[in-house]
PDB file of all heavy atoms in Angstrom:
ATOM      1  N   ASN A 359       8.290   8.857  12.639  1.00 96.00           N
ATOM      2  CA  ASN A 359       8.579   9.258  11.269  1.00 96.00           C
ATOM      3  C   ASN A 359       8.673   8.028  10.386  1.00 96.00           C
ATOM      4  O   ASN A 359       9.051   6.955  10.838  1.00 96.00           O
ATOM      5  CB  ASN A 359       9.889  10.042  11.201  1.00 96.00           C
ATOM      6  CG  ASN A 359       9.738  11.419  11.805  1.00 96.00           C
ATOM      7  OD1 ASN A 359       8.673  12.023  11.740  1.00 96.00           O
ATOM      8  ND2 ASN A 359      10.804  11.907  12.399  1.00 96.00           N
ATOM      9  N   GLY A 360       8.341   8.203   9.120  1.00 96.00           N
ATOM     10  CA  GLY A 360       8.424   7.113   8.168  1.00 96.00           C
ATOM     11  C   GLY A 360       7.394   7.266   7.076  1.00 96.00           C
ATOM     12  O   GLY A 360       6.762   8.314   6.925  1.00 96.00           O
ATOM     13  N   ASP A 361       7.239   6.218   6.325  1.00 96.00           N
ATOM     14  CA  ASP A 361       6.265   6.183   5.239  1.00 96.00           C
ATOM     15  C   ASP A 361       4.877   6.028   5.849  1.00 96.00           C
ATOM     16  O   ASP A 361       4.603   5.027   6.508  1.00 96.00           O
ATOM     17  CB  ASP A 361       6.583   5.006   4.319  1.00 96.00           C
ATOM     18  CG  ASP A 361       5.621   4.884   3.150  1.00 96.00           C
ATOM     19  OD1 ASP A 361       4.674   5.685   3.037  1.00 96.00           O
ATOM     20  OD2 ASP A 361       5.834   3.965   2.333  1.00 96.00           O
ATOM     21  N   PRO A 362       3.986   6.998   5.634  1.00 96.00           N
ATOM     22  CA  PRO A 362       2.664   6.896   6.255  1.00 96.00           C
ATOM     23  C   PRO A 362       1.904   5.628   5.859  1.00 96.00           C
ATOM     24  O   PRO A 362       1.152   5.088   6.659  1.00 96.00           O
ATOM     25  CB  PRO A 362       1.934   8.152   5.793  1.00 96.00           C
ATOM     26  CG  PRO A 362       2.832   8.877   4.896  1.00 96.00           C
ATOM     27  CD  PRO A 362       4.158   8.213   4.876  1.00 96.00           C
ATOM     28  N   GLU A 363       2.138   5.155   4.659  1.00 95.00           N
ATOM     29  CA  GLU A 363       1.453   3.936   4.221  1.00 95.00           C
ATOM     30  C   GLU A 363       1.869   2.726   5.046  1.00 95.00           C
ATOM     31  O   GLU A 363       1.136   1.753   5.135  1.00 95.00           O
ATOM     32  CB  GLU A 363       1.713   3.685   2.738  1.00 95.00           C
ATOM     33  CG  GLU A 363       1.075   4.728   1.847  1.00 95.00           C
ATOM     34  CD  GLU A 363       1.443   4.566   0.385  1.00 95.00           C
ATOM     35  OE1 GLU A 363       2.207   3.636   0.046  1.00 95.00           O
ATOM     36  OE2 GLU A 363       0.974   5.382  -0.411  1.00 95.00           O
ATOM     37  N   GLN A 364       3.050   2.802   5.666  1.00 96.00           N
ATOM     38  CA  GLN A 364       3.546   1.712   6.504  1.00 96.00           C
ATOM     39  C   GLN A 364       3.161   1.895   7.973  1.00 96.00           C
ATOM     40  O   GLN A 364       3.438   1.026   8.789  1.00 96.00           O
ATOM     41  CB  GLN A 364       5.073   1.611   6.386  1.00 96.00           C
ATOM     42  CG  GLN A 364       5.556   1.386   4.977  1.00 96.00           C
ATOM     43  CD  GLN A 364       5.066   0.075   4.401  1.00 96.00           C
ATOM     44  OE1 GLN A 364       5.086  -0.946   5.081  1.00 96.00           O
ATOM     45  NE2 GLN A 364       4.622   0.105   3.165  1.00 96.00           N
ATOM     46  N   LEU A 365       2.559   3.024   8.290  1.00 97.00           N
ATOM     47  CA  LEU A 365       2.237   3.342   9.687  1.00 97.00           C
ATOM     48  C   LEU A 365       0.733   3.360   9.958  1.00 97.00           C
ATOM     49  O   LEU A 365       0.275   4.003  10.899  1.00 97.00           O
ATOM     50  CB  LEU A 365       2.847   4.702  10.059  1.00 97.00           C
ATOM     51  CG  LEU A 365       4.373   4.758  10.019  1.00 97.00           C
ATOM     52  CD1 LEU A 365       4.858   6.184  10.183  1.00 97.00           C
ATOM     53  CD2 LEU A 365       4.949   3.858  11.089  1.00 97.00           C
ATOM     54  N   LEU A 366      -0.024   2.667   9.158  1.00 97.00           N
ATOM     55  CA  LEU A 366      -1.483   2.684   9.319  1.00 97.00           C
ATOM     56  C   LEU A 366      -1.908   2.116  10.663  1.00 97.00           C
ATOM     57  O   LEU A 366      -2.818   2.658  11.305  1.00 97.00           O
ATOM     58  CB  LEU A 366      -2.154   1.940   8.166  1.00 97.00           C
ATOM     59  CG  LEU A 366      -1.986   2.587   6.793  1.00 97.00           C
ATOM     60  CD1 LEU A 366      -2.579   1.693   5.711  1.00 97.00           C
ATOM     61  CD2 LEU A 366      -2.625   3.965   6.761  1.00 97.00           C
ATOM     62  N   ASP A 367      -1.282   1.043  11.110  1.00 97.00           N
ATOM     63  CA  ASP A 367      -1.637   0.459  12.413  1.00 97.00           C
ATOM     64  C   ASP A 367      -1.396   1.464  13.533  1.00 97.00           C
ATOM     65  O   ASP A 367      -2.250   1.663  14.399  1.00 97.00           O
ATOM     66  CB  ASP A 367      -0.826  -0.815  12.687  1.00 97.00           C
ATOM     67  CG  ASP A 367      -1.244  -1.982  11.821  1.00 97.00           C
ATOM     68  OD1 ASP A 367      -2.416  -2.004  11.378  1.00 97.00           O
ATOM     69  OD2 ASP A 367      -0.410  -2.870  11.578  1.00 97.00           O
ATOM     70  N   ALA A 368      -0.230   2.100  13.508  1.00 97.00           N
ATOM     71  CA  ALA A 368       0.110   3.073  14.553  1.00 97.00           C
ATOM     72  C   ALA A 368      -0.845   4.258  14.519  1.00 97.00           C
ATOM     73  O   ALA A 368      -1.271   4.756  15.567  1.00 97.00           O
ATOM     74  CB  ALA A 368       1.553   3.549  14.383  1.00 97.00           C
ATOM     75  N   ALA A 369      -1.194   4.713  13.322  1.00 98.00           N
ATOM     76  CA  ALA A 369      -2.101   5.858  13.198  1.00 98.00           C
ATOM     77  C   ALA A 369      -3.494   5.507  13.700  1.00 98.00           C
ATOM     78  O   ALA A 369      -4.160   6.319  14.351  1.00 98.00           O
ATOM     79  CB  ALA A 369      -2.164   6.323  11.746  1.00 98.00           C
ATOM     80  N   LEU A 370      -3.923   4.295  13.445  1.00 97.00           N
ATOM     81  CA  LEU A 370      -5.230   3.845  13.923  1.00 97.00           C
ATOM     82  C   LEU A 370      -5.220   3.748  15.446  1.00 97.00           C
ATOM     83  O   LEU A 370      -6.139   4.240  16.119  1.00 97.00           O
ATOM     84  CB  LEU A 370      -5.582   2.498  13.290  1.00 97.00           C
ATOM     85  CG  LEU A 370      -6.978   1.958  13.521  1.00 97.00           C
ATOM     86  CD1 LEU A 370      -8.029   2.900  12.960  1.00 97.00           C
ATOM     87  CD2 LEU A 370      -7.123   0.586  12.889  1.00 97.00           C
ATOM     88  N   GLU A 371      -4.183   3.166  16.003  1.00 97.00           N
ATOM     89  CA  GLU A 371      -4.072   3.031  17.459  1.00 97.00           C
ATOM     90  C   GLU A 371      -3.972   4.383  18.160  1.00 97.00           C
ATOM     91  O   GLU A 371      -4.492   4.553  19.259  1.00 97.00           O
ATOM     92  CB  GLU A 371      -2.862   2.173  17.815  1.00 97.00           C
ATOM     93  CG  GLU A 371      -3.034   0.707  17.466  1.00 97.00           C
ATOM     94  CD  GLU A 371      -1.757  -0.091  17.683  1.00 97.00           C
ATOM     95  OE1 GLU A 371      -0.857   0.385  18.398  1.00 97.00           O
ATOM     96  OE2 GLU A 371      -1.675  -1.192  17.110  1.00 97.00           O
ATOM     97  N   ALA A 372      -3.315   5.347  17.508  1.00 97.00           N
ATOM     98  CA  ALA A 372      -3.155   6.677  18.101  1.00 97.00           C
ATOM     99  C   ALA A 372      -4.390   7.551  17.916  1.00 97.00           C
ATOM    100  O   ALA A 372      -4.453   8.657  18.446  1.00 97.00           O
ATOM    101  CB  ALA A 372      -1.939   7.372  17.493  1.00 97.00           C
ATOM    102  N   GLY A 373      -5.355   7.056  17.155  1.00 97.00           N
ATOM    103  CA  GLY A 373      -6.571   7.831  16.923  1.00 97.00           C
ATOM    104  C   GLY A 373      -6.405   8.932  15.884  1.00 97.00           C
ATOM    105  O   GLY A 373      -7.261   9.802  15.762  1.00 97.00           O
ATOM    106  N   VAL A 374      -5.332   8.857  15.112  1.00 97.00           N
ATOM    107  CA  VAL A 374      -5.096   9.857  14.071  1.00 97.00           C
ATOM    108  C   VAL A 374      -6.033   9.606  12.890  1.00 97.00           C
ATOM    109  O   VAL A 374      -6.494  10.544  12.248  1.00 97.00           O
ATOM    110  CB  VAL A 374      -3.619   9.839  13.619  1.00 97.00           C
ATOM    111  CG1 VAL A 374      -3.380  10.775  12.448  1.00 97.00           C
ATOM    112  CG2 VAL A 374      -2.712  10.196  14.794  1.00 97.00           C
ATOM    113  N   ILE A 375      -6.299   8.337  12.611  1.00 98.00           N
ATOM    114  CA  ILE A 375      -7.230   7.958  11.543  1.00 98.00           C
ATOM    115  C   ILE A 375      -8.219   6.946  12.099  1.00 98.00           C
ATOM    116  O   ILE A 375      -7.987   6.346  13.153  1.00 98.00           O
ATOM    117  CB  ILE A 375      -6.493   7.365  10.318  1.00 98.00           C
ATOM    118  CG1 ILE A 375      -5.784   6.050  10.665  1.00 98.00           C
ATOM    119  CG2 ILE A 375      -5.540   8.388   9.711  1.00 98.00           C
ATOM    120  CD1 ILE A 375      -5.211   5.319   9.465  1.00 98.00           C
ATOM    121  N   ASP A 376      -9.303   6.746  11.352  1.00 98.00           N
ATOM    122  CA  ASP A 376     -10.264   5.716  11.750  1.00 98.00           C
ATOM    123  C   ASP A 376     -10.190   4.546  10.760  1.00 98.00           C
ATOM    124  O   ASP A 376      -9.422   4.583   9.797  1.00 98.00           O
ATOM    125  CB  ASP A 376     -11.677   6.291  11.866  1.00 98.00           C
ATOM    126  CG  ASP A 376     -12.251   6.824  10.558  1.00 98.00           C
ATOM    127  OD1 ASP A 376     -11.868   6.333   9.471  1.00 98.00           O
ATOM    128  OD2 ASP A 376     -13.099   7.738  10.623  1.00 98.00           O
ATOM    129  N   ALA A 377     -10.984   3.529  11.005  1.00 98.00           N
ATOM    130  CA  ALA A 377     -10.931   2.310  10.191  1.00 98.00           C
ATOM    131  C   ALA A 377     -11.300   2.583   8.738  1.00 98.00           C
ATOM    132  O   ALA A 377     -10.700   1.997   7.821  1.00 98.00           O
ATOM    133  CB  ALA A 377     -11.849   1.248  10.781  1.00 98.00           C
ATOM    134  N   ASP A 378     -12.255   3.458   8.488  1.00 98.00           N
ATOM    135  CA  ASP A 378     -12.638   3.775   7.105  1.00 98.00           C
ATOM    136  C   ASP A 378     -11.506   4.481   6.373  1.00 98.00           C
ATOM    137  O   ASP A 378     -11.260   4.228   5.186  1.00 98.00           O
ATOM    138  CB  ASP A 378     -13.899   4.643   7.076  1.00 98.00           C
ATOM    139  CG  ASP A 378     -15.146   3.885   7.501  1.00 98.00           C
ATOM    140  OD1 ASP A 378     -15.149   2.632   7.417  1.00 98.00           O
ATOM    141  OD2 ASP A 378     -16.119   4.546   7.905  1.00 98.00           O
ATOM    142  N   GLU A 379     -10.809   5.365   7.074  1.00 98.00           N
ATOM    143  CA  GLU A 379      -9.693   6.075   6.456  1.00 98.00           C
ATOM    144  C   GLU A 379      -8.535   5.121   6.174  1.00 98.00           C
ATOM    145  O   GLU A 379      -7.883   5.208   5.136  1.00 98.00           O
ATOM    146  CB  GLU A 379      -9.242   7.228   7.350  1.00 98.00           C
ATOM    147  CG  GLU A 379     -10.278   8.337   7.421  1.00 98.00           C
ATOM    148  CD  GLU A 379     -10.007   9.361   8.494  1.00 98.00           C
ATOM    149  OE1 GLU A 379      -9.471   8.983   9.571  1.00 98.00           O
ATOM    150  OE2 GLU A 379     -10.326  10.532   8.261  1.00 98.00           O
ATOM    151  N   ARG A 380      -8.322   4.201   7.095  1.00 98.00           N
ATOM    152  CA  ARG A 380      -7.294   3.184   6.862  1.00 98.00           C
ATOM    153  C   ARG A 380      -7.638   2.374   5.618  1.00 98.00           C
ATOM    154  O   ARG A 380      -6.778   2.125   4.772  1.00 98.00           O
ATOM    155  CB  ARG A 380      -7.179   2.261   8.069  1.00 98.00           C
ATOM    156  CG  ARG A 380      -6.186   1.145   7.839  1.00 98.00           C
ATOM    157  CD  ARG A 380      -6.331   0.041   8.875  1.00 98.00           C
ATOM    158  NE  ARG A 380      -5.475  -1.055   8.505  1.00 98.00           N
ATOM    159  CZ  ARG A 380      -4.513  -1.533   9.253  1.00 98.00           C
ATOM    160  NH1 ARG A 380      -4.290  -1.033  10.439  1.00 98.00           N
ATOM    161  NH2 ARG A 380      -3.774  -2.516   8.822  1.00 98.00           N
ATOM    162  N   ALA A 381      -8.892   1.985   5.491  1.00 98.00           N
ATOM    163  CA  ALA A 381      -9.326   1.212   4.325  1.00 98.00           C
ATOM    164  C   ALA A 381      -9.147   2.012   3.035  1.00 98.00           C
ATOM    165  O   ALA A 381      -8.774   1.450   1.997  1.00 98.00           O
ATOM    166  CB  ALA A 381     -10.785   0.788   4.494  1.00 98.00           C
ATOM    167  N   ALA A 382      -9.377   3.314   3.086  1.00 98.00           N
ATOM    168  CA  ALA A 382      -9.205   4.159   1.899  1.00 98.00           C
ATOM    169  C   ALA A 382      -7.746   4.192   1.468  1.00 98.00           C
ATOM    170  O   ALA A 382      -7.439   4.102   0.268  1.00 98.00           O
ATOM    171  CB  ALA A 382      -9.711   5.572   2.181  1.00 98.00           C
ATOM    172  N   VAL A 383      -6.832   4.300   2.423  1.00 98.00           N
ATOM    173  CA  VAL A 383      -5.405   4.310   2.085  1.00 98.00           C
ATOM    174  C   VAL A 383      -4.996   2.944   1.546  1.00 98.00           C
ATOM    175  O   VAL A 383      -4.274   2.852   0.545  1.00 98.00           O
ATOM    176  CB  VAL A 383      -4.544   4.710   3.304  1.00 98.00           C
ATOM    177  CG1 VAL A 383      -3.058   4.523   3.003  1.00 98.00           C
ATOM    178  CG2 VAL A 383      -4.829   6.145   3.711  1.00 98.00           C
ATOM    179  N   GLU A 384      -5.444   1.881   2.176  1.00 98.00           N
ATOM    180  CA  GLU A 384      -5.103   0.540   1.701  1.00 98.00           C
ATOM    181  C   GLU A 384      -5.628   0.308   0.292  1.00 98.00           C
ATOM    182  O   GLU A 384      -4.951  -0.300  -0.539  1.00 98.00           O
ATOM    183  CB  GLU A 384      -5.633  -0.517   2.662  1.00 98.00           C
ATOM    184  CG  GLU A 384      -4.881  -0.556   3.977  1.00 98.00           C
ATOM    185  CD  GLU A 384      -5.485  -1.502   4.993  1.00 98.00           C
ATOM    186  OE1 GLU A 384      -6.714  -1.740   4.948  1.00 98.00           O
ATOM    187  OE2 GLU A 384      -4.728  -1.988   5.847  1.00 98.00           O
ATOM    188  N   ALA A 385      -6.834   0.796  -0.008  1.00 98.00           N
ATOM    189  CA  ALA A 385      -7.400   0.658  -1.347  1.00 98.00           C
ATOM    190  C   ALA A 385      -6.571   1.437  -2.366  1.00 98.00           C
ATOM    191  O   ALA A 385      -6.338   0.962  -3.481  1.00 98.00           O
ATOM    192  CB  ALA A 385      -8.847   1.133  -1.356  1.00 98.00           C
ATOM    193  N   ALA A 386      -6.116   2.626  -1.987  1.00 98.00           N
ATOM    194  CA  ALA A 386      -5.292   3.435  -2.891  1.00 98.00           C
ATOM    195  C   ALA A 386      -3.956   2.749  -3.172  1.00 98.00           C
ATOM    196  O   ALA A 386      -3.499   2.716  -4.317  1.00 98.00           O
ATOM    197  CB  ALA A 386      -5.066   4.820  -2.295  1.00 98.00           C
ATOM    198  N   VAL A 387      -3.355   2.193  -2.140  1.00 97.00           N
ATOM    199  CA  VAL A 387      -2.075   1.498  -2.308  1.00 97.00           C
ATOM    200  C   VAL A 387      -2.256   0.289  -3.224  1.00 97.00           C
ATOM    201  O   VAL A 387      -1.464   0.065  -4.147  1.00 97.00           O
ATOM    202  CB  VAL A 387      -1.499   1.076  -0.939  1.00 97.00           C
ATOM    203  CG1 VAL A 387      -0.319   0.131  -1.104  1.00 97.00           C
ATOM    204  CG2 VAL A 387      -1.100   2.305  -0.136  1.00 97.00           C
ATOM    205  N   ALA A 388      -3.302  -0.485  -3.007  1.00 97.00           N
ATOM    206  CA  ALA A 388      -3.555  -1.673  -3.826  1.00 97.00           C
ATOM    207  C   ALA A 388      -3.822  -1.287  -5.278  1.00 97.00           C
ATOM    208  O   ALA A 388      -3.316  -1.939  -6.203  1.00 97.00           O
ATOM    209  CB  ALA A 388      -4.728  -2.467  -3.255  1.00 97.00           C
ATOM    210  N   ALA A 389      -4.596  -0.235  -5.492  1.00 96.00           N
ATOM    211  CA  ALA A 389      -4.898   0.204  -6.853  1.00 96.00           C
ATOM    212  C   ALA A 389      -3.637   0.694  -7.555  1.00 96.00           C
ATOM    213  O   ALA A 389      -3.415   0.411  -8.734  1.00 96.00           O
ATOM    214  CB  ALA A 389      -5.966   1.297  -6.830  1.00 96.00           C
ATOM    215  N   ARG A 390      -2.795   1.432  -6.833  1.00 95.00           N
ATOM    216  CA  ARG A 390      -1.538   1.916  -7.418  1.00 95.00           C
ATOM    217  C   ARG A 390      -0.655   0.740  -7.810  1.00 95.00           C
ATOM    218  O   ARG A 390      -0.079   0.708  -8.896  1.00 95.00           O
ATOM    219  CB  ARG A 390      -0.814   2.822  -6.433  1.00 95.00           C
ATOM    220  CG  ARG A 390       0.487   3.388  -7.014  1.00 95.00           C
ATOM    221  CD  ARG A 390       1.247   4.239  -6.028  1.00 95.00           C
ATOM    222  NE  ARG A 390       1.748   3.416  -4.945  1.00 95.00           N
ATOM    223  CZ  ARG A 390       1.646   3.723  -3.654  1.00 95.00           C
ATOM    224  NH1 ARG A 390       1.063   4.846  -3.269  1.00 95.00           N
ATOM    225  NH2 ARG A 390       2.134   2.928  -2.736  1.00 95.00           N
ATOM    226  N   ARG A 391      -0.544  -0.239  -6.934  1.00 93.00           N
ATOM    227  CA  ARG A 391       0.286  -1.414  -7.242  1.00 93.00           C
ATOM    228  C   ARG A 391      -0.243  -2.150  -8.472  1.00 93.00           C
ATOM    229  O   ARG A 391       0.537  -2.634  -9.288  1.00 93.00           O
ATOM    230  CB  ARG A 391       0.344  -2.349  -6.043  1.00 93.00           C
ATOM    231  CG  ARG A 391       1.219  -1.813  -4.949  1.00 93.00           C
ATOM    232  CD  ARG A 391       1.351  -2.786  -3.804  1.00 93.00           C
ATOM    233  NE  ARG A 391       2.216  -2.224  -2.782  1.00 93.00           N
ATOM    234  CZ  ARG A 391       2.077  -2.443  -1.505  1.00 93.00           C
ATOM    235  NH1 ARG A 391       1.130  -3.244  -1.066  1.00 93.00           N
ATOM    236  NH2 ARG A 391       2.890  -1.877  -0.639  1.00 93.00           N
ATOM    237  N   GLU A 392      -1.538  -2.236  -8.578  1.00 91.00           N
ATOM    238  CA  GLU A 392      -2.151  -2.908  -9.731  1.00 91.00           C
ATOM    239  C   GLU A 392      -1.806  -2.168 -11.024  1.00 91.00           C
ATOM    240  O   GLU A 392      -1.513  -2.781 -12.043  1.00 91.00           O
ATOM    241  CB  GLU A 392      -3.663  -2.998  -9.550  1.00 91.00           C
ATOM    242  CG  GLU A 392      -4.396  -3.612 -10.706  1.00 91.00           C
ATOM    243  CD  GLU A 392      -4.071  -5.071 -10.968  1.00 91.00           C
ATOM    244  OE1 GLU A 392      -3.718  -5.793 -10.015  1.00 91.00           O
ATOM    245  OE2 GLU A 392      -4.165  -5.493 -12.139  1.00 91.00           O
ATOM    246  N   VAL A 393      -1.834  -0.854 -10.987  1.00 91.00           N
ATOM    247  CA  VAL A 393      -1.573  -0.049 -12.181  1.00 91.00           C
ATOM    248  C   VAL A 393      -0.112  -0.158 -12.612  1.00 91.00           C
ATOM    249  O   VAL A 393       0.180  -0.205 -13.803  1.00 91.00           O
ATOM    250  CB  VAL A 393      -1.952   1.429 -11.940  1.00 91.00           C
ATOM    251  CG1 VAL A 393      -1.428   2.333 -13.023  1.00 91.00           C
ATOM    252  CG2 VAL A 393      -3.456   1.570 -11.842  1.00 91.00           C
ATOM    253  N   ILE A 394       0.802  -0.193 -11.663  1.00 90.00           N
ATOM    254  CA  ILE A 394       2.214  -0.225 -12.041  1.00 90.00           C
ATOM    255  C   ILE A 394       2.759  -1.636 -12.192  1.00 90.00           C
ATOM    256  O   ILE A 394       3.924  -1.813 -12.543  1.00 90.00           O
ATOM    257  CB  ILE A 394       3.091   0.580 -11.050  1.00 90.00           C
ATOM    258  CG1 ILE A 394       3.051  -0.033  -9.656  1.00 90.00           C
ATOM    259  CG2 ILE A 394       2.688   2.021 -11.030  1.00 90.00           C
ATOM    260  CD1 ILE A 394       4.019   0.617  -8.679  1.00 90.00           C
ATOM    261  N   GLN A 395       1.920  -2.622 -11.958  1.00 85.00           N
ATOM    262  CA  GLN A 395       2.331  -4.016 -12.100  1.00 85.00           C
ATOM    263  C   GLN A 395       2.782  -4.264 -13.538  1.00 85.00           C
ATOM    264  O   GLN A 395       2.107  -3.880 -14.475  1.00 85.00           O
ATOM    265  CB  GLN A 395       1.170  -4.949 -11.750  1.00 85.00           C
ATOM    266  CG  GLN A 395       1.508  -6.397 -11.746  1.00 85.00           C
ATOM    267  CD  GLN A 395       2.473  -6.753 -10.639  1.00 85.00           C
ATOM    268  OE1 GLN A 395       2.419  -6.212  -9.565  1.00 85.00           O
ATOM    269  NE2 GLN A 395       3.364  -7.650 -10.907  1.00 85.00           N
ATOM    270  N   VAL A 396       3.912  -4.879 -13.693  1.00 77.00           N
ATOM    271  CA  VAL A 396       4.427  -5.194 -15.021  1.00 77.00           C
ATOM    272  C   VAL A 396       4.646  -6.687 -15.136  1.00 77.00           C
ATOM    273  O   VAL A 396       4.755  -7.396 -14.137  1.00 77.00           O
ATOM    274  CB  VAL A 396       5.747  -4.445 -15.324  1.00 77.00           C
ATOM    275  CG1 VAL A 396       5.523  -2.949 -15.351  1.00 77.00           C
ATOM    276  CG2 VAL A 396       6.806  -4.792 -14.308  1.00 77.00           C
ATOM    277  N   ASP A 397       4.717  -7.150 -16.364  1.00 75.00           N
ATOM    278  CA  ASP A 397       5.017  -8.552 -16.585  1.00 75.00           C
ATOM    279  C   ASP A 397       6.443  -8.830 -16.139  1.00 75.00           C
ATOM    280  O   ASP A 397       7.328  -7.995 -16.265  1.00 75.00           O
ATOM    281  CB  ASP A 397       4.877  -8.908 -18.063  1.00 75.00           C
ATOM    282  CG  ASP A 397       3.436  -8.828 -18.533  1.00 75.00           C
ATOM    283  OD1 ASP A 397       2.538  -9.017 -17.701  1.00 75.00           O
ATOM    284  OD2 ASP A 397       3.217  -8.568 -19.723  1.00 75.00           O
ATOM    285  N   GLU A 398       6.652 -10.010 -15.613  1.00 75.00           N
ATOM    286  CA  GLU A 398       7.982 -10.389 -15.157  1.00 75.00           C
ATOM    287  C   GLU A 398       8.445 -11.571 -15.993  1.00 75.00           C
ATOM    288  O   GLU A 398       7.712 -12.547 -16.171  1.00 75.00           O
ATOM    289  CB  GLU A 398       7.936 -10.775 -13.683  1.00 75.00           C
ATOM    290  CG  GLU A 398       9.290 -11.072 -13.113  1.00 75.00           C
ATOM    291  CD  GLU A 398       9.211 -11.365 -11.635  1.00 75.00           C
ATOM    292  OE1 GLU A 398       8.274 -10.923 -10.963  1.00 75.00           O
ATOM    293  OE2 GLU A 398      10.119 -12.066 -11.141  1.00 75.00           O
ATOM    294  N   PHE A 399       9.632 -11.441 -16.507  1.00 77.00           N
ATOM    295  CA  PHE A 399      10.198 -12.502 -17.329  1.00 77.00           C
ATOM    296  C   PHE A 399      11.560 -12.879 -16.776  1.00 77.00           C
ATOM    297  O   PHE A 399      12.315 -12.012 -16.338  1.00 77.00           O
ATOM    298  CB  PHE A 399      10.370 -12.032 -18.784  1.00 77.00           C
ATOM    299  CG  PHE A 399       9.089 -11.648 -19.442  1.00 77.00           C
ATOM    300  CD1 PHE A 399       8.714 -10.314 -19.527  1.00 77.00           C
ATOM    301  CD2 PHE A 399       8.250 -12.605 -19.983  1.00 77.00           C
ATOM    302  CE1 PHE A 399       7.531  -9.948 -20.133  1.00 77.00           C
ATOM    303  CE2 PHE A 399       7.066 -12.243 -20.594  1.00 77.00           C
ATOM    304  CZ  PHE A 399       6.701 -10.915 -20.671  1.00 77.00           C
ATOM    305  N   PRO A 400      11.901 -14.158 -16.823  1.00 80.00           N
ATOM    306  CA  PRO A 400      13.256 -14.546 -16.415  1.00 80.00           C
ATOM    307  C   PRO A 400      14.256 -13.996 -17.435  1.00 80.00           C
ATOM    308  O   PRO A 400      13.911 -13.813 -18.610  1.00 80.00           O
ATOM    309  CB  PRO A 400      13.218 -16.076 -16.425  1.00 80.00           C
ATOM    310  CG  PRO A 400      12.083 -16.433 -17.308  1.00 80.00           C
ATOM    311  CD  PRO A 400      11.100 -15.303 -17.230  1.00 80.00           C
ATOM    312  N   PRO A 401      15.484 -13.725 -17.030  1.00 80.00           N
ATOM    313  CA  PRO A 401      16.479 -13.153 -17.952  1.00 80.00           C
ATOM    314  C   PRO A 401      16.657 -13.966 -19.236  1.00 80.00           C
ATOM    315  O   PRO A 401      16.868 -13.400 -20.309  1.00 80.00           O
ATOM    316  CB  PRO A 401      17.771 -13.132 -17.134  1.00 80.00           C
ATOM    317  CG  PRO A 401      17.323 -13.129 -15.715  1.00 80.00           C
ATOM    318  CD  PRO A 401      16.020 -13.880 -15.689  1.00 80.00           C
ATOM    319  N   GLU A 402      16.533 -15.286 -19.139  1.00 81.00           N
ATOM    320  CA  GLU A 402      16.714 -16.122 -20.332  1.00 81.00           C
ATOM    321  C   GLU A 402      15.667 -15.809 -21.406  1.00 81.00           C
ATOM    322  O   GLU A 402      15.937 -15.913 -22.595  1.00 81.00           O
ATOM    323  CB  GLU A 402      16.601 -17.621 -19.994  1.00 81.00           C
ATOM    324  CG  GLU A 402      17.450 -18.105 -18.860  1.00 81.00           C
ATOM    325  CD  GLU A 402      16.854 -17.817 -17.490  1.00 81.00           C
ATOM    326  OE1 GLU A 402      15.715 -18.185 -17.205  1.00 81.00           O
ATOM    327  OE2 GLU A 402      17.586 -17.199 -16.711  1.00 81.00           O
ATOM    328  N   ALA A 403      14.501 -15.429 -20.998  1.00 78.00           N
ATOM    329  CA  ALA A 403      13.435 -15.153 -21.966  1.00 78.00           C
ATOM    330  C   ALA A 403      13.706 -13.876 -22.746  1.00 78.00           C
ATOM    331  O   ALA A 403      13.126 -13.670 -23.812  1.00 78.00           O
ATOM    332  CB  ALA A 403      12.088 -15.050 -21.239  1.00 78.00           C
TER     333      ALA A 403
END
């Protein structure tokens, strides 16, 4: 049990997903992170 995005290695080893499916999930995670990325400023700024 856990976050499926964190269990890609286990799912690949167990034969639940294949390498292309793993790549699709990784691409989705990366794209989501890019979209929600915000500027970071130190508190003083």
Side-chain angles (χ1 to χ4, degrees):
N359 288 328
D361 180 359
E363 293 174 0
Q364 302 297 317
L365 296 171
L366 294 175
D367 289 334
L370 188 61
E371 289 173 18
V374 175
I375 64 172
D376 63 28
D378 290 338
E379 291 169 326
R380 177 195 173 121
V383 172
E384 289 174 332
V387 169
R390 182 183 67 227
R391 286 184 179 147
E392 177 65 29
V393 168
I394 63 173
Q395 185 67 36
V396 296
D397 293 332
E398 185 176 336
F399 299 99
E402 309 81 54

